[in-house]
Structures are given as structure tokens and as C-alpha cells.
């Protein structure tokens, strides 16, 4: 029971915007070849109105959203850790020198698990990236090991 309660307050920073009780914590800026998250000072609950603002693209192309970590219900979770967070921290280059001003850090699974290494790389992670680099595609792919 304690594990379930803990997961309800641990947020996944790569959750789909369409999931129930998601929050927007960043907007995608930058360029098509180098997209970057611009962090909101305060996260906002995802509503139908916010999702509609993404039209004609998908919400995941312009919003970074978080939702309760699904832990064992997620393809990236290995029973103990988020393997996506580990791959982001281990394989992607840092794109900022200091911690970004993130409204979800305290509750973020990636921060709790990987610390500063994940945060320095997080601004380049885009939920719906239709033109990822080879490295980004490799990092985001689900691995079985």
C-alpha cells in the first residue's frame, strides 16, 4: 500500500498529455533540429482547452507534461528504476550548464533517480519528436535488458 501511495506523488516527466491528471510543466521551443523545453514557472493542469491549443499538431509536440509515475505499469520501468531516465542521464549530452527552473523537480522520478544528470539533459526530451537524432531515437526506444 505504501508503494502505491508513493507512486501517486512521483511524477513521470515524459507522460503522455492525454493521460488523466496530467500537468503541463514546459513548452517546446528551439528549432526542429534542436528543440528545447522552456519551463513554466508554475505547472498547469491539462484540460481539453489546453489540448485543443496544440491543433493542428499533437499536444506532445508542443507541451512537456507529467503525470503520476505508472511504475510497474510502464514499459520503461524495470521493477526498481525508470530505464528511460537512466538512458537519458547516461547517453544524452547535457544541453544546459545549470539546473533548469523546473516546477516538478521535487516530485520528478528522473530527478529522484538520476539527479542533476537527468535535469541537465531533460530540456532536449520531446514527447512527440518525429525527427529525432539517431541517439535520441536509441535513448527513447524500450529495451528488454
Amino acid at each position: 500500500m505504501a508503494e502505491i501511495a508513493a507512486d501517486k506523488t512521483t511524477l513521470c516527466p515524459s507522460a503522455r498529455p492525454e493521460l488523466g491528471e496530467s500537468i503541463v510543466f514546459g513548452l517546446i521551443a528551439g528549432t526542429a533540429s534542436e528543440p528545447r523545453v522552456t519551463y513554466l514557472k508554475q505547472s498547469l493542469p491539462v484540460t481539453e482547452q489546453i489540448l485543443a491549443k496544440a491543433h493542428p499538431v499533437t499536444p506532445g509536440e508542443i507541451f512537456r507534461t507529467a503525470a503520476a509515475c505508472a511504475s510497474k505499469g510502464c514499459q520503461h520501468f524495470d521493477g526498481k528504476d525508470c530505464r528511460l531516465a537512466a538512458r537519458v542521464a547516461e547517453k544524452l549530452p547535457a544541453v544546459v550548464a545549470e539546473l533548469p527552473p523546473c516546477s516538478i523537480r521535487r516530485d520528478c522520478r528522473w530527478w529522484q533517480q538520476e539527479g542533476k544528470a537527468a535535469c541537465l539533459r531533460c530540456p532536449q526530451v520531446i514527447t512527440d519528436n518525429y525527427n529525432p537524432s539517431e541517439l535520441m531515437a536509441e535513448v527513447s526506444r524500450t529495451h528488454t535488458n
Side-chain angles (χ1 to χ4, degrees), residues 12-15 25-29 34-39 60-65 84-85 87-89 92-93 95 110 117-129 136 139-140:
C12 169
S14 67
F25 68 94
L27 301 174
I28 309 307
E34 288 190 15
R36 294 293 181 263
V37 175
T38 300
Y39 295 88
E61 288 180 76
I62 62 169
F63 300 123
R64 267 299 288 283
T65 56
L84 178 59
R87 290 190 305 272
V88 164
L92 291 179
V95 292
W110 292 10
C119 295
L120 298 180
R121 291 152 177 82
C122 183
Q124 66 193 302
V125 177
I126 310 305
T127 305
D128 289 347
N129 186 345
M136 185 62 75
V139 167
S140 64

Side-chain angles (χ1 to χ4, degrees), residues 1-43:
M1 190 76 154
E3 183 178 312
I4 293 169
D7 285 345
K8 290 297 181 195
T9 59
T10 300
L11 296 174
C12 169
S14 67
R16 299 287 319 157
E18 303 84 5
L19 291 176
E21 298 186 31
S22 293
I23 56 172
V24 176
F25 68 94
L27 301 174
I28 309 307
T31 65
S33 60
E34 288 190 15
R36 294 293 181 263
V37 175
T38 300
Y39 295 88
L40 302 177
K41 289 181 194 265
Q42 185 174 10
S43 57

Side-chain angles (χ1 to χ4, degrees), residues 92-144:
L92 291 179
V95 292
V96 294
E98 296 182 18
L99 290 176
C102 180
S103 63
I104 68 161
R105 182 171 294 117
R106 179 189 64 184
D107 298 317
C108 178
R109 160 82 59 196
W110 292 10
W111 166 256
Q112 292 170 2
Q113 179 182 311
E114 301 294 330
K116 187 176 181 179
C119 295
L120 298 180
R121 291 152 177 82
C122 183
Q124 66 193 302
V125 177
I126 310 305
T127 305
D128 289 347
N129 186 345
Y130 298 109
N131 190 29
S133 67
E134 285 184 36
L135 178 59
M136 185 62 75
E138 172 63 22
V139 167
S140 64
R141 216 173 275 123
T142 303
H143 294 83
T144 56

Side-chain angles (χ1 to χ4, degrees), residues 24 44-55 59 62-63:
V24 176
L44 302 168
V46 172
T47 63
E48 288 299 321
Q49 293 81 7
I50 286 178
L51 292 175
K53 290 186 185 298
H55 185 76
I62 62 169
F63 300 123

